[in-house]
């Protein structure tokens, strides 16, 4: 197990979401389950998040709980093969041409837009 300072030096992904009901911002660390905090401004939420991260890691070390290291993008190439029906291929090619972008760019746009709907 690493030390507190070693874990604190790691770049854990921080997610910040505006709390439209209560006001302010909520911050979580996806790789540190249950590590959550908030703040009235983004700046205060980030400051509180660093304190929460430290407290979470200290408690995990004290309790002997396994601490995941941050997820790394190194494991992802940015490429995958996808088989689609010919009719969909045609539609995507036509739509991307109308938009004046490559089919690859158009598909990335569609995937990103759709993924954002499911992420929230």
């Amino acid at each position: 197990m690493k030390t507190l300072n070693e874990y604190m030096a790691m770049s854990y992904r921080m997610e910040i979401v505006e709390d439209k009901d209560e006001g302010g911002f909520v911050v979580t660390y996806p790789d540190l389950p249950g590590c959550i905090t908030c703040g009235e401004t983004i700046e205060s939420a980030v400051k509180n998040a660093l304190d929460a991260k430290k407290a979470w890691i200290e408690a995990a070390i004290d309790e002997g709980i396994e601490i995941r290291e941050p997820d790394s993008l190194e494991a992802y190439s940015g490429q995958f093969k996808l088989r689609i029906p010919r009719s969909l291929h045609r539609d995507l090619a036509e739509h991307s041409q109308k938009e004046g972008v490559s089919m690859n760019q158009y598909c990335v746009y569609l995937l990103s837009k759709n993924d954002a709907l499911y992420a929230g």
Side-chain angles (χ1 to χ4, degrees):
M1 186 174 280
K2 295 180 177 11
T3 67
L4 173 63
N5 289 335
E6 288 172 318
Y7 283 116
M8 289 299 292
M10 293 181 183
S11 297
Y12 283 92
R13 183 170 50 112
M14 182 187 296
E15 291 185 354
I16 304 171
V17 177
E18 184 177 5
D19 186 342
K20 294 183 179 173
D21 295 331
E22 302 290 324
F25 298 86
V26 177
V27 182
T28 59
Y29 289 95
D31 293 323
L32 305 175
C35 185
I36 184 169
T37 190
C38 60
E40 292 297 317
T41 65
I42 290 178
E43 292 80 12
S44 66
V46 168
K47 182 184 178 303
N48 293 343
L50 295 174
D51 293 339
K53 175 184 167 186
K54 183 178 180 183
W56 191 96
I57 292 170
E58 285 175 330
I61 289 171
D62 290 346
E63 297 293 322
I65 296 171
E66 180 183 353
I67 302 170
R68 281 184 48 186
E69 292 192 14
D71 189 20
S72 171
L73 292 179
E74 297 297 320
Y76 304 97
S77 69
Q79 297 180 10
F80 68 98
K81 192 172 199 173
L82 178 66
R83 296 199 183 277
I84 58 175
R86 290 178 183 198
S87 59
L88 177 58
H89 189 171
R90 179 195 61 222
D91 291 344
L92 291 170
E94 289 173 357
H95 295 151
S96 63
Q97 187 175 19
K98 285 180 189 175
E99 292 296 324
V101 297
S102 71
M103 194 170 81
N104 188 61
Q105 288 175 309
Y106 187 68
C107 289
V108 168
Y109 161 74
L110 292 175
L111 288 168
S112 299
K113 183 178 171 183
N114 221 3
D115 187 57
L117 293 173
Y118 291 101

